[in-house]
Amino acid sequence: MTFFEQFTPIQQALIGTLFTYSVTALGAALVFFFKSINKTVLNGMLGFAAGVMIAASFWSLLAPGIAMAEELGQVAWLTASIGFLLGGGFLYAVDKILPHLHLGLDTSQAEGVKTTWQRSVLLVLAITLHNIPEGLAVGVAFGAAASGSITGATIAGAIALAIGIGLQNFPEGAAVSIPLRREGFSRTKAFLYGQASGIVEPIAGVLGAMAVIYVRPILPYALAFAAGAMIYVVIEELIPEAQREEGGSKTDVATIGAMIGFSVMMILDVALG
């Protein structure tokens, strides 16, 4: 029996997402050592995060979801498409409602409903927004592994997903706290804001695991839903931010980062899953 197998699937999801949250906090802790972050380095970080999420969406979510849909006698392509589009639609709706501000933009360019919230809060909410599907993905992965009957859905695969999400959370934590420090926040306050962006992951992870365990027929949809939400974040937020304002070799770093991130996640999932 492995360490994870002694826990229930919901406990496994909580442990996995607490790990991803803790890595976010570690990344945010870089603010105690640096006051600014080079744009080229940030581009590479965002590209890496995008690559990890793209690979995880297929290897850890869509492929097992399609396999389970087939085993349940569902029309696999239809189940995957519906779940995938619902995931993207959910993030689209939240994106239009939740006030948030992307890095590098003026407060007047904040998205969502109009609010008088401080710029710092809006910046944190932007990262929090795409931590929701990350936590959900880890929770659903552990829930899928608990079913014990899905090709490719294993505890090892869920652990690989948690590790991959954790790896890309490290630069995300830094990408929140360090810009806040540059804007005049104290190191402690910038760190607290940065790590706070990851708190939503354990919540989403536990809810995702509970949903698929207690309502097993929705599992293929849930896996595709998480994948759609993650891809939405990559296309709507990570890639544009990595390419904003800079050109030439500086944006090439983001592309290289994405390739490396995809490869790392693919290796983790194939080797461990």
Side-chain angles (χ1 to χ4, degrees), residues 189-225:
K189 191 172 183 179
F191 166 74
L192 291 175
Y193 273 109
Q195 62 82 34
S197 66
I199 290 178
V200 70
E201 290 194 10
I203 299 172
V206 169
L207 291 176
M210 290 176 63
V212 299
I213 288 170
Y214 295 119
V215 192
R216 190 170 182 271
I218 73 168
L219 182 48
Y221 293 96
L223 288 163
F225 181 97

Side-chain angles (χ1 to χ4, degrees), residues 2 16 92 104 106 118 168 182 203 205 208 214 220 235 237:
T2 65
Y92 174 82
D106 186 78
Q118 294 181 350
Q168 61 98 37
R182 190 173 62 246
I203 299 172
Y214 295 119
I235 297 173
E237 182 174 341

Side-chain angles (χ1 to χ4, degrees), residues 7-263:
F7 300 103
T8 67
I10 293 175
Q11 291 172 329
Q12 292 170 358
L14 178 60
I15 293 171
T17 48
L18 283 175
F19 164 75
T20 61
Y21 158 71
S22 67
V23 180
T24 301
L26 282 175
L30 289 180
V31 74
F32 292 108
F33 307 97
F34 304 98
K35 188 174 181 178
S36 63
I37 183 169
N38 183 275
K39 183 63 169 67
T40 301
V41 173
L42 180 60
N43 286 349
M45 288 179 170
L46 293 172
F48 180 87
V52 168
M53 292 178 73
I54 293 171
S57 295
F58 176 74
W59 296 103
S60 300
L61 300 169
L62 278 176
I66 291 172
M68 185 176 189
E70 293 173 342
E71 292 170 6
L72 291 176
Q74 300 174 357
V75 181
W77 63 265
L78 182 60
T79 296
S81 298
I82 291 174
F84 185 85
L85 293 175
L86 284 176
F90 169 75
L91 258 291
Y92 174 82
V94 174
D95 192 55
K96 296 302 179 184
I97 297 172
L98 182 69
H100 62 284
L101 177 67
H102 297 299
L103 294 171
L105 297 182
D106 186 78
T107 306
S108 62
Q109 296 175 284
E111 299 178 28
V113 298
K114 298 301 180 183
T115 179
T116 57
W117 291 351
Q118 294 181 350
R119 174 181 174 83
S120 57
V121 175
L122 295 174
L123 285 169
V124 172
L125 287 177
I127 301 297
T128 302
L129 179 61
H130 74 69
N131 280 342
I132 294 175
E134 292 172 10
L136 180 64
V138 174
V140 170
F142 278 109
S147 70
S149 62
I150 311 174
T151 303
T154 63
I155 290 180
I159 293 173
L161 176 60
I163 292 173
I165 295 297
L167 287 174
Q168 61 98 37
N169 274 356
F170 184 81
E172 284 182 0
V176 176
S177 64
I178 293 178
L180 290 179
R181 171 62 178 160
R182 190 173 62 246
E183 291 187 11
F185 283 71
S186 69
R187 285 186 171 87
T188 299
K189 191 172 183 179
F191 166 74
L192 291 175
Y193 273 109
Q195 62 82 34
S197 66
I199 290 178
V200 70
E201 290 194 10
I203 299 172
V206 169
L207 291 176
M210 290 176 63
V212 299
I213 288 170
Y214 295 119
V215 192
R216 190 170 182 271
I218 73 168
L219 182 48
Y221 293 96
L223 288 163
F225 181 97
M230 289 177 69
I231 292 297
Y232 181 91
V233 168
V234 170
I235 297 173
E236 195 272 339
E237 182 174 341
L238 295 181
I239 292 177
E241 286 187 7
Q243 302 288 332
R244 185 178 291 126
E245 298 178 358
E246 301 286 358
S249 60
K250 293 188 177 181
T251 51
D252 288 342
V253 172
T255 304
I256 294 170
M259 298 294 291
I260 293 173
F262 186 97
S263 299

